[in-house]
Amino acid sequence: MIDVLRSPGHLVSLAARGFSRLSEARLKPLGFGVGTLPVLIALEEGRAHTQRDLADFARIEQPSMAQMLARMERDGLIRRTPDPRDGRSSLVALTDAARTRLPDACAVLFAGNDEALAGLTQAEAVQFVALLERVIDNLDQIAKKGDAGR
């Protein structure tokens, strides 16, 4: 019998929860949450400017992104301005406060990653990330085909 508790899906889920707990604990003093980081990074790097773009970038549904942006705006991390090209949407930008604290947040996350990967060589860590990216791509392809519910 296959040991379900040693299956890739279960182990990745455990690792994800562990990374999330570690990151949340370390980001909270900086005024960030682990879920906000993809949004902050996308805005900082100019990869997204609208709620729809951010939802696509972060791979979450629009209603969840709307709630997250409302919290981030309340917490002074983002500001919204009307989109001059589309009166129904807003452009989202980082506040100076968020931009100032973001490098510290990234440093905290990288330190946590280094701790979590302790005992792996640099080559193993690079390979681990590459393998995870391939698995994520496979899962994305399955979802695009509509096979996720099987």
Side-chain angles (χ1 to χ4, degrees):
M1 175 182 226
I2 298 173
D3 186 356
V4 174
L5 300 180
R6 292 189 49 83
S7 69
H10 180 70
L11 293 173
V12 167
S13 179
L14 287 176
R17 288 195 304 255
F19 272 113
S20 184
R21 280 191 305 270
L22 176 66
S23 298
E24 281 294 337
R26 293 181 177 186
L27 290 172
K28 189 174 183 178
L30 297 171
F32 296 126
V34 71
T36 64
L37 261 294
V39 172
L40 296 167
I41 298 298
L43 292 171
E44 174 69 12
E45 294 179 352
R47 295 185 188 189
H49 301 287
T50 66
Q51 179 178 309
R52 177 181 301 259
D53 294 340
L54 290 166
D56 290 345
F57 182 83
R59 297 179 179 187
I60 64 173
E61 298 295 323
Q62 286 261 10
S64 298
M65 180 56 67
Q67 291 174 346
M68 182 187 304
L69 291 176
R71 286 190 303 272
M72 292 174 74
E73 189 171 31
R74 176 201 68 205
D75 294 343
L77 300 176
I78 62 160
R79 66 180 172 280
R80 296 190 234 201
T81 57
D83 185 342
R85 296 168 293 162
D86 180 358
R88 297 170 295 153
S89 68
S90 299
L91 298 177
V92 182
L94 290 180
T95 62
D96 289 339
R99 195 176 306 280
T100 300
R101 294 191 318 250
L102 191 54
D104 290 338
C106 290
V108 161
L109 291 178
F110 284 124
N113 285 331
D114 289 346
E115 290 174 63
L117 298 178
L120 274 64
T121 66
Q122 181 65 29
E124 289 170 332
V126 168
Q127 181 181 26
F128 177 66
V129 169
L131 292 171
L132 284 174
E133 289 173 337
R134 284 175 46 197
V135 170
I136 291 166
D137 286 343
N138 289 343
L139 292 167
D140 286 346
Q141 291 303 315
I142 292 167
K144 285 178 187 172
K145 291 179 190 174
D147 294 341
R150 289 187 191 171

